[in-house]
Amino acid sequence: MMMKSRLTLSFAALLLCSSALTAEDSPPAAAGWNAADWGVEGSDIPVDTEFRFGRLDNGVRYILRQNATPEGTALVRLHIGSGSLDETDSERGLAHFLEHMAFNGSKRVPEGEMVKLLEREGLSFGADTNATTSLETTTYMLNLPRNDEALLDTALMLMRETASELLIEQEAVERERGVILSERRDRNNYAYKQTIDELTFASPAARFIDRLPIGAIEVLESATAADLRGYYERTYVPENTVVVVVGDFPIATMEQLVHRHFAEWRGGPDPVEPETGPVDLTRRSETDIYVDPALSERVVVSSFGAWEDRPDSFAKRREDVLRQIGYAIVNRRLATLARGENAPFRSAGFGTGDIFEDGRMTRLVVDTADGEWRKGLAAATAELRRALAHGFSEAEVAEQLARLRSSLENATRSSETRTNSALVQSALALVEQQSVPSTPESALERFESYADAITPELTLAALLAEAAPLEDPMIRFQGRTEPAGGESALRSAWNELVALPILPPQTSEAAEFAYTDFGEPGTVVSDTRDERLGLRLIRFANGVMLNLKQTDIRKDQISFRLSLDGGNLLNTREDPLKTALVSSLPAGGLGKHSQDELETVLAGRTVRFSLSSTSDAFRFSGGTRPKDLELQMQLLAAAITDPGYRGEAIERYRRSLDEFFARLDATPGSAVSNSLGGILSDNDPRFTLQSREAFETLDFAKLRSDIADRLSHGAIELALVGDFDEDAAIAAVAQTLGALPPRETDFLPREEARQRVFTSQRISHRIMHRGEPDQALVRMTWPTTDDSDLGETLRLELLERVIRIALQDKLREELGKTYSPSASSSPTRTYPGYGTFSITASVDVSEVEATRAAIADLLSEFAERPLDVDLLDRAREPMLENYANMLKSLGGWMSLTDNAQSQSERLDRYFAAPAIIRAVTPEDIRQVARKYLAPGDAVEVIALPQTETGPAAAAADPVE
């Protein structure tokens, strides 16, 4: 089925698609390219010739691309052009149910063996083996960890099995039914329910509202194998199927294997494109109020317009750019208000999106603090009306053009190393949106052909041509309580606001970045190399450490990470929130620039100012480009030497507290995560959630006094990984961080702050949540150890993987009690002797005791019986593949380059780990399980609904 429609109710601005050349050019065609096969006949967008396109005689289409980023890997996708919209009334939920059945037996692969087969090949279930169902599509995904032709052959064999050879036996359906119902239960939370209300208000008669992929409970509880097979045979047909392979294989190999596995498939006709609407575009002046204790306050003002059929073309993409700039300017103005002092709202946005092919919707969305909807709506409405009436300034357009040009230039410089994932997304955009995949170079060329002609007048005209006027609009309110005055208050407030006079905008001059001189450049006093990894380790005279890893695995891209001594180890029992505001510092800007001013000053430059507090350091991290590396270093030095500490950042932080504390126990997961720290630490204030009052008293004056010494004197270690010139990088750091006054040369040990104990109270805690009455969560946590012993750390990680697989087999597949049971080993570097191992399962409230018993039985088997060798290998192989592929990404290199001087012993672990993993035996895993996972040593936390009564809701019972 040719996809022609999308639901885009998001108010985000349209993304600029990669595109190329002008209509007059005649570029070479890609191999196998036939525009009619993809519904883009007549498009003047030249296709990227590195793709290989094809259509088999039976109608199966394919898109192939040889690519080596990451080297030696590949992505395989099976795209079915049908989703939940293709269901009949009696099939609601079967598209998603069928997706699950793909893992439950086919003609060549017995039930339960597909995942095992892939695990033996090094693919992890969930991470590398997955599937997703949407309203319009179903996509199966395999991420291959190596470019072994036999593995690709296996992957495509499995995709073909999924496409046409599933058994769909009644016994398997019954087993999977519990998993489906569990997933539906887990997703049925406050956010999902408000989404249903929002969609229903927007389009109450539309068919798509009754076709959300999770389905109808009555269908899911009664569906038979015959029902599923009916949907399967009607929609999984060759004409409705696209195979995508992108990775490090020769094109000829990919194409041969696609033909081998899919050419003989015979199936029914291409299914008819389903109805989505109707959407009544004449609706006006309707109001909706939706209340839930977990929802923050939001007002959405919207209007409908007619859908426009705009096939992909040079003209369309140029118009999209104009509209994108217009929406971006409006949203930029709204962001300025949100960042200011005494801000009227937390955030706001304006945009237009299609409702399939039934219409389009323009929305103004305003998020406010509780009780401030009127104030927020007034400010956002005034700013929107001002923009639409008076238009935009040259400076505003120039800022957005700089951002677009920078993005396109960056994409062009790194086009040689586009990732498999990015190329798959480009291929699927052709399949689903009829957006022709083209090169970054051509996108930049076309942009430059018209960029100079873009004016404020053209931009405003393009926006007005698309945006539906907000006249007598629909108004929807959501929040914790109804607004005073109800629907009439909302409507009258809007009518009053649009009757007010429109004031002209105020303009301001753009400033220059004020931080370019940090004094005499620093001197390098130590310069060594780790030849094993090609790391260059520098120390400046002022104590700053610089670790460099030059690699061009991602052309023109640089990752950075700066660690500054401090972090959460500064928190004490007496002052447990000492570092809580650190992540809010970027919102306060710099001493000479507010955050909002920085956005303008740095427009078109690839730099980032973000800050977090990790366990033992303050961390700045992000990405930049070689041409912006010097500016990025200046920004980091300015952030350390002159943080802004502006009051508006504190205001924004405090406004966020309403939402956080309202959702504290809104779901079983949030209730457990927010209680667990105190339970495991015997209420040590450093690890226990503090009161709202304690958070509200925090301010920048105290933060400044608490961390000023660290910013001025704390040890700094900066890691740079990517495509840069080493000498240029050293010079950029010398002129900035290296030029700062002398600092401590090592991270402080803080031995007293590193003391952390695991509670001795091994009891079962019952905590209440305010979510759905059928939802419960069981979590068991055991104390383990720190990560100083590499062998023990790796054995614990293998145990985690083994138990995760066993939980999937037992709780999910065999018993059908939970959708995604999990296990996690967390040994720490920070706290000597401290680590945890946990098992978690979300279950129906009636299944709590049965789930506890099943977990206990599983652990007993691990402790008493020899571990199955195949189970260990299925856990081991993906772990080994992760190590084999670790240094094929900037993130993997950063994990080694970061702290390469302060924790140099960690480098040795990388080389030692694979041999240790291979040497682990089933008996080793059994002994680790017996050592750490004794049932009586666990702390159990069970989250139950507040309505639940009886023994299961007792405050605390001993673990059985």
Side-chain angles (χ1 to χ4, degrees), residues 147-162:
N147 57 342
D148 177 346
E149 184 176 334
L151 179 57
L152 179 60
D153 185 58
T154 297
L156 288 170
M157 177 274 291
L158 293 175
M159 290 302 195
R160 170 60 195 281
E161 290 289 293
T162 297

Side-chain angles (χ1 to χ4, degrees), residues 807-823:
L807 288 170
Q808 291 281 349
D809 292 346
K810 183 80 172 179
L811 292 183
R812 175 175 165 140
E813 303 303 336
E814 182 181 333
L815 300 178
K817 295 187 181 300
T818 180
Y819 169 58
S820 56
S822 64

Side-chain angles (χ1 to χ4, degrees), residues 394-638:
E394 295 279 0
E396 287 176 313
V397 172
E399 179 178 329
Q400 298 307 321
L401 282 172
R403 295 184 187 283
L404 285 172
R405 178 174 283 110
S406 176
S407 176
L408 289 167
E409 288 175 344
N410 291 342
T412 297
R413 281 190 286 265
S414 60
S415 65
E416 290 181 30
T417 54
R418 281 179 286 172
T419 64
N420 293 341
S421 178
L423 292 168
V424 164
Q425 290 175 12
S426 182
L428 291 179
L430 170 65
V431 179
E432 298 178 0
Q433 304 159 33
Q434 287 70 63
S435 177
V436 176
S438 195
T439 66
E441 290 84 357
S442 60
L444 177 60
E445 183 177 347
R446 182 164 53 257
F447 173 78
E448 294 296 1
S449 75
Y450 58 71
D452 290 344
I454 293 177
T455 65
E457 293 76 19
L458 285 175
T459 301
L460 178 63
L463 187 154
L464 292 174
E466 179 182 60
L470 297 178
E471 298 171 355
D472 298 322
M474 312 278 285
I475 301 176
R476 181 177 183 274
F477 172 94
Q478 69 179 45
R480 282 177 261 284
T481 58
E482 288 199 13
E487 293 184 6
S488 62
L490 291 167
R491 183 63 54 182
S492 62
W494 175 259
N495 292 337
E496 291 169 9
L497 292 172
V498 296
L500 295 174
I502 303 175
L503 301 177
Q506 295 180 341
T507 60
S508 59
E509 294 294 325
E512 296 290 330
F513 188 60
Y515 299 89
T516 58
D517 186 359
F518 294 89
E520 189 70 21
T523 302
V524 173
V525 296
S526 175
D527 185 350
T528 62
R529 288 187 181 272
D530 184 307
E531 299 296 344
R532 299 171 301 173
L533 295 166
L535 303 182
R536 189 171 178 182
L537 309 177
I538 306 290
R539 187 181 286 270
F540 290 91
N542 67 348
V544 168
M545 293 171 276
L546 171 63
N547 307 329
L548 302 175
K549 173 57 191 179
Q550 195 284 328
T551 174
D552 62 357
I553 56 174
R554 297 300 307 280
K555 291 283 189 180
D556 203 56
Q557 296 188 27
I558 302 171
S559 289
F560 69 86
R561 184 177 296 169
L562 185 151
S563 297
L564 191 155
D565 179 65
N568 296 339
L569 286 178
L570 297 181
N571 298 333
T572 65
R573 289 176 177 270
E574 296 73 28
D575 191 0
L577 298 179
K578 184 175 287 188
T579 63
L581 283 178
V582 165
S583 61
S584 295
L585 273 178
L590 302 174
K592 298 177 183 178
H593 300 296
S594 68
Q595 184 190 36
D596 193 70
E597 188 177 45
L598 276 174
E599 184 167 341
T600 297
V601 170
L602 301 176
R605 309 297 295 274
T606 306
V607 294
R608 188 179 183 198
F609 175 17
S610 67
L611 176 61
S612 62
S613 183
T614 66
S615 59
D616 58 357
F618 301 126
R619 176 166 290 170
F620 301 82
S621 60
T624 187
R625 305 281 175 163
K627 70 182 182 69
D628 292 326
L629 180 58
E630 181 179 6
L631 177 60
Q632 180 65 73
M633 295 302 102
Q634 292 170 349
L635 184 58
L636 289 176

Side-chain angles (χ1 to χ4, degrees), residues 63-64 125 195 204 269 273 297 368 396 456-457 465 557 671 796 836 842 869 914:
I63 305 175
L64 312 174
F125 182 66
T195 298
E273 188 168 335
E297 198 164 273
T368 65
E396 287 176 313
E457 293 76 19
Q557 296 188 27
L796 279 165
T836 62
S842 298
V869 174

